[in-house]
Amino acid sequence: EEVGDFAREACEAIQAAVKDLGYTRYKFIVQCQIGENHGQALRTASRCLWSPESDVSVSASFVKGRCFAVATVFCLYHE
């Protein structure tokens, strides 16, 4: 449960930081994954209905010791 709370807090912090950039015509979706690293592989996939000309996603990952975190921000343009 603590990891779930930490992931939720990370998503909220990332979303607040992205909103502070001032892109008022974009909606943001933030997804965070946190887990324990035992040398295994992890693959994730996402599907969205969007416009490739104006919508974008960005991901960042972090590994330290036996823990890992991956955060993805989906930026969706709206008029």
Side-chain angles (χ1 to χ4, degrees):
E1 190 168 308
E2 289 178 23
V3 174
D5 292 339
F6 184 68
R8 192 174 309 103
E9 290 172 13
C11 283
E12 290 171 359
I14 292 167
Q15 188 160 18
V18 170
K19 281 186 176 182
D20 284 346
L21 295 174
Y23 294 105
T24 57
R25 293 203 173 263
Y26 280 85
K27 291 191 178 207
F28 303 105
I29 300 167
V30 180
Q31 181 181 32
C32 294
Q33 298 147 349
I34 299 173
E36 192 171 0
N37 183 10
H38 286 287
Q40 74 279 19
L42 173 70
R43 293 183 187 252
T44 62
S46 299
R47 295 175 111 193
C48 296
L49 214 64
W50 69 6
S51 171
E53 292 84 28
S54 59
D55 300 338
V56 69
S57 68
V58 63
S59 254
S61 61
F62 172 80
V63 177
K64 184 172 183 180
R66 298 196 115 186
C67 293
F68 73 89
V70 179
T72 304
V73 180
F74 299 93
C75 309
L76 308 172
Y77 184 81
H78 72 95
E79 294 183 19

